[in-house]
Amino acid sequence: MKRIALLRAATAAALLTTGALGAMAQQAWPPTPTVIAHRGASALRPEHTLAAYQKAIDDGADVIEPDLVITRDGVLVVRHENAMAILNADGSVKEATTDVADRPEFAARKATKTIDGRQITGWFTEDFTLAELKTLRARERIPAQRPANTAYNGRFEIPTLQEVIDLAQAATAQTGRVIGIYPETKHPTYFQSIGLPLEAPLLAVLEKNGWNHQHAPVFVQSFEVSNLQAIRQRSSVRLVQLVAPSGRPYDFVAQGAANTRSYADLITPEGLKQVATYANAIGPYKTLVVPVKDGMPGAPTGLVERARAAGLAVHIWTLRPENAFLPAGLKKAPATDATLRGDSAAEITAYLRAGVDGFFTDDPAVGRAAVQAFQAGR
């Protein structure tokens, strides 16, 4: 995998020298509707691995999404959470994206921390150097829903943000399609509190790669607000305000009584105008755009139109192919089998009809096919 990445990076560098990638960058980007590979092709490979990202690109994704956390020595790496393995109260593994819980040399790194108000016991990226993390191997996070992915357990490293960029740039050179990245800054208030903020290292990596500007094939997303506002002060890169279906941005929670706003406040007409002062798009949970009614996608809420009126694009999350994640009416029989693939294309089509500009999917092949069928039907 390292040799392949180096070869691809060299290819991309050569084309950059000739100006070929620069010419592609002048084309309108991103194409819409945008197919965003959620943690890569995570329905088919363990999430946040170079293999998952490569599979996503091969299957037609326009953008690959790395969740960003940081190492003890300040390197941005890609994991769903900074907790690489989480334990139950009895000491059993509740969730894991690496084999760290099985590595006796790291047993003493187990810790209990409070992350965004939630107490977690496990192993955390910020307690490891990059060199130590590179000895770990990725594994499937939700094996109960994706048992086939466990065949890949132990085969892949934890990638750095730079390795993901190298892959995207090499794929751009090879395919002639501009492959973008969509990094999420995870738990920014927490990382700021321990002296390892994510924002400056992220902008430094983007700058190093010539991607710290408004036309770069980059979207930076966050469930918090203050860090996006801080990035906007330093960069013109595209920013996306994520919106959960309930609750509040954690930086608002940390501000106490001085800020009582919720996610619901961010998507009112006035809230959207405020978001537009620092962001280019919103990333709402899917049912905020099309709620489920009687087990099927229902009538759109009008959020797309309100966002557009404020000058914001809309990218929804997350469309997944398995029964476990689909509305009741789109599950494949028997509906109780969480691993079966239902009618994900029908769900995607409902959101395309609602006018979204892009969508996060765990299976970009299904997403690409749905987009092509939708566009052909128009």
Side-chain angles (χ1 to χ4, degrees), residues 30-96:
T32 54
T34 311
V35 178
I36 306 160
H38 183 239
R39 310 174 193 170
S42 51
L44 302 166
R45 302 289 187 274
E47 64 189 29
H48 291 316
T49 59
L50 292 181
Y53 296 131
Q54 183 63 60
K55 179 64 174 168
I57 294 165
D58 293 343
D59 288 349
D62 301 304
V63 187
I64 53 178
E65 185 221 16
D67 289 340
L68 301 183
V69 292
I70 200 164
T71 66
R72 187 172 69 192
D73 46 347
V75 180
L76 292 175
V77 294
V78 180
R79 287 289 86 191
H80 172 49
E81 295 287 344
N82 55 325
M84 300 178 289
I86 300 173
L87 300 182
N88 291 306
D90 64 2
S92 60
V93 175
K94 178 180 181 180
E95 179 180 292

Side-chain angles (χ1 to χ4, degrees), residues 2 5 50 134 157-168:
K2 284 185 177 179
L50 292 181
K134 282 295 187 180
E157 293 182 356
I158 297 175
T160 64
L161 173 60
Q162 183 60 59
E163 288 171 331
V164 174
I165 291 174
D166 289 343
L167 181 65

